[in-house]
């Protein structure tokens, strides 16, 4: 007797992709707005544990000139993305989980990490972003405003030894200088 095998199906999942930016979040709102430039040369990693083999999958990429990064050919799974190195000269800003098929997937529970990103075959995750804040500074002078116009003229003396407090809107002291 001839034996014929029928109905042999092999499931192949289409690969998924995920991408985002490391960028200067000038207003620290967690949204990549027009005019907020990307940061190049930042190392970003992605990890997942295979649901089939239990093997840890780990990849890394460096952001391009526009601050973008992407990971392609990903197997279906749950992923974690981390910003490996804090960009020099920037303060840590807000990290934002992006969207897959128009729905937000994942979350930011700790600095520089986006977790619980579930990807299925052919999913394309976008805008998984890491915001960075350029540092700011304040400066000025304390002077005797003889004519009370708020502008220092050459005959108005500087007043040394005055304590200046930088205070948050809620009254919390940030720093004092003299």
């Amino acid at each position: 007797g001839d034996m014929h095998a029928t109905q042999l199906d092999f499931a192949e999942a289409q690969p998924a992709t995920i991408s985002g930016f490391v960028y200067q979040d000038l207003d620290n709102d967690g949204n990549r707005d027009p005019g907020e430039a990307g940061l190049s040369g930042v190392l970003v990693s992605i990890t997942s544990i295979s649901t089939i083999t239990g093997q840890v999958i780990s990849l890394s990429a460096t952001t391009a000139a526009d601050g973008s990064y992407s990971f392609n050919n990903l197997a279906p799974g749950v992923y974690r993305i981390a910003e490996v190195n804090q960009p020099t000269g920037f303060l840590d800003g807000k990290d934002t989980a992006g969207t897959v098929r128009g729905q937000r997937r994942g979350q930011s529970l700790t600095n520089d990490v986006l977790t619980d990103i579930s990807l299925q075959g052919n999913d394309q995750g976008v805008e998984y972003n890491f915001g960075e804040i350029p540092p700011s500074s304040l400066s000025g002078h304390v002077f005797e405003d003889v004519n009370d116009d708020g502008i220092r003229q050459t005959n108005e003396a500087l007043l040394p030894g005055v304590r200046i407090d930088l205070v948050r809107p809620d009254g919390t002291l940030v720093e004092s200088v003299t």
Side-chain angles (χ1 to χ4, degrees):
D2 289 336
M3 292 182 48
H4 297 284
T6 60
Q7 299 295 330
L8 294 178
D9 296 327
F10 295 93
E12 294 293 329
Q14 293 294 314
T17 64
I18 196 161
S19 63
F21 293 84
V22 177
Y23 70 103
Q24 298 182 44
D25 193 1
L26 301 177
D27 54 3
N28 194 29
D29 67 351
N31 296 313
R32 192 171 65 90
D33 301 317
E36 293 183 329
L39 296 170
S40 65
V42 181
L43 187 62
V44 178
S45 69
I46 189 168
T47 55
S48 177
I49 298 174
S50 170
T51 55
I52 298 166
T53 65
Q55 180 182 8
V56 175
I57 300 157
S58 184
L59 303 166
S60 62
T62 302
T63 57
D66 65 354
S68 66
Y69 72 88
S70 67
F71 296 100
N72 304 313
N73 297 317
L74 299 173
V78 179
Y79 288 87
R80 174 186 181 275
I81 305 172
E83 180 184 47
V84 177
N85 61 316
Q86 177 65 29
T88 304
F90 288 86
L91 305 171
D92 195 28
K94 294 180 176 147
D95 310 318
T96 310
T99 60
V100 178
R101 299 177 195 215
Q103 300 294 315
R104 185 155 318 273
R105 282 201 206 158
Q107 56 189 327
S108 173
L109 297 177
T110 58
N111 282 352
D112 299 334
V113 177
L114 301 170
T115 60
D116 302 326
I117 305 162
S118 175
L119 295 177
Q120 297 173 15
N122 219 19
D123 276 351
Q124 295 180 350
V126 296
E127 296 292 328
Y128 285 82
N129 298 337
F130 298 93
E132 306 302 334
I133 309 165
S136 301
S137 65
L138 293 170
S139 65
H141 297 93
V142 178
F143 63 94
E144 182 182 8
D145 193 5
V146 176
N147 62 357
D148 198 26
D149 68 352
I151 301 168
R152 180 172 177 251
Q153 277 79 40
T154 55
N155 66 325
E156 296 176 325
L158 292 175
L159 301 173
V162 177
R163 177 181 151 169
I164 306 291
D165 292 336
L166 178 61
V167 180
R168 288 193 174 97
D170 67 3
T172 307
L173 180 66
V174 176
E175 186 176 355
S176 289
V177 295
T178 302

